[in-house]
Amino acid sequence: PNSSDSGESYSRYKIYLGNPCPWCHRVKAAMAVLNLEGEIPVTMLIDDAEKASKGGWILPTPSADDRKANIAEELITGDLAGVYNYCYRDILEEGEKYKGRCTAPLLVDTTTGTIVTNESNEIMILLNDYARRLPDHEESVDLRPIGREEELDDATKHWFDLLWNGSYKCGFATSQVAYDEAASDVLKGLNEMNEVLASRPYLLGEDVSEVDLKGFSWVTRHDYAYTVIFKSPGGRIAQYPYISAWVKRLVSDYPKLLDSIDMEDACGSYYRQLFMLNFGRVVPYIPNVKDWVAGL
């Protein structure tokens, strides 16, 4: 989508999201805060590595709206790999399958049957740009204020390196040195974030931004997925008073965030799908997000 797209033309687009995925969660959180849930069709993927031909995601039963919209069958049935195959149909040889990674989030132009982007940061920017053009945009949230783009991008990289990717690096470390380095980053990130939030309500100041929503998608998985199955250090979020207050402030100011994640399913997916890290696939107790927030 570009700046010339109107609200009507936006219905041609579809976003594919998976609840367990933090990169998808940040997109869904942005839609919730920007009040865009009804503006752009969303397909919530199901993580099922056994049924998916590739990539681990299968599509749910097509909705009545999808059927009415006359969307290509490949975009509403099968698995996400099939969506990628269809979107790359013009450059693939007959019978050839897409060889790249079939990841979500994914933004597709259903009219042309092509991929717009599968990068969560880019999708969040597009959503924020679209929200700005809505009739009541002056009263809405601006997650990426004009003039602060560099500051936002720098903050995203900073917290990605320390926390958002740090936890994954802990989980998939193949040497003690690699784990120790990643664990050190996570500990540094937790303490630094707690210090930052001691003097401001949100990560970049007085107003919520895209960086807060990216952080929210990480923090909701920290206690019951990353600290256990990834051995990510630092203890529970409740041990960090200012991070805890920030989480409570986010869901108080933007209650729809509580509906942006099924925490039991999201955290449970790590235990069910990452069998190389959890051979028995035993899923521990995981609270729902409202109970987790209440316990901070």
Side-chain angles (χ1 to χ4, degrees), residues 53-245:
S53 61
K54 179 182 179 181
W57 298 110
I58 63 173
L59 275 60
T61 301
S63 68
D65 288 339
D66 282 339
R67 292 297 189 190
K68 292 178 183 177
N70 195 30
I71 297 173
E73 191 74 10
E74 292 87 346
L75 298 180
I76 58 175
T77 60
D79 57 21
L80 192 63
V83 175
Y84 273 83
N85 289 332
Y86 179 75
C87 289
Y88 282 100
R89 64 196 179 283
D90 291 336
I91 61 174
L92 294 173
E93 298 291 338
E94 184 176 354
E96 183 184 4
K97 302 295 184 181
Y98 175 68
K99 295 183 176 62
R101 296 179 63 204
C102 302
T103 60
L106 177 68
L107 175 61
V108 168
D109 183 331
T110 61
T111 299
T112 61
T114 56
I115 291 172
V116 179
T117 179
N118 62 355
E119 213 288 317
S120 62
N121 293 308
E122 293 177 1
I123 296 175
M124 292 179 77
I125 291 172
L126 291 171
L127 291 173
N128 195 64
D129 286 346
Y130 174 62
R132 283 197 190 117
R133 299 196 298 275
L134 294 176
D136 57 351
H137 72 94
E138 293 183 0
E139 300 177 7
S140 66
V141 175
D142 189 348
L143 296 174
R144 191 176 173 85
I146 294 172
R148 299 188 68 186
E149 294 88 350
E150 184 175 354
E151 179 186 7
L152 289 158
D153 292 342
D154 287 346
T156 288
K157 184 181 186 307
H158 180 73
W159 297 118
F160 173 85
D161 290 342
L162 292 178
L163 294 176
W164 308 335
N165 193 45
S167 291
Y168 273 78
K169 289 169 69 176
C170 286
F172 292 98
T174 56
S175 72
Q176 189 64 51
V177 170
Y179 172 80
D180 289 344
E181 290 178 353
S184 177
D185 285 341
V186 172
L187 288 170
K188 177 182 176 183
L190 281 165
N191 287 313
E192 184 178 328
M193 181 175 283
N194 197 55
E195 291 176 7
V196 166
L197 291 168
S199 60
R200 60 182 70 169
Y202 291 109
L203 286 171
L204 267 69
E206 295 298 316
D207 300 314
V208 70
S209 74
E210 61 181 35
V211 181
D212 294 287
L213 302 187
K214 295 169 185 177
F216 184 71
S217 71
W218 175 83
V219 78
T220 48
R221 291 161 173 77
H222 172 79
D223 284 359
Y224 289 92
Y226 300 157
T227 63
V228 184
I229 198 165
F230 283 173
K231 303 181 182 66
S232 189
R236 296 296 176 90
I237 293 301
Q239 297 172 223
Y240 302 88
Y242 298 110
I243 297 178
S244 297

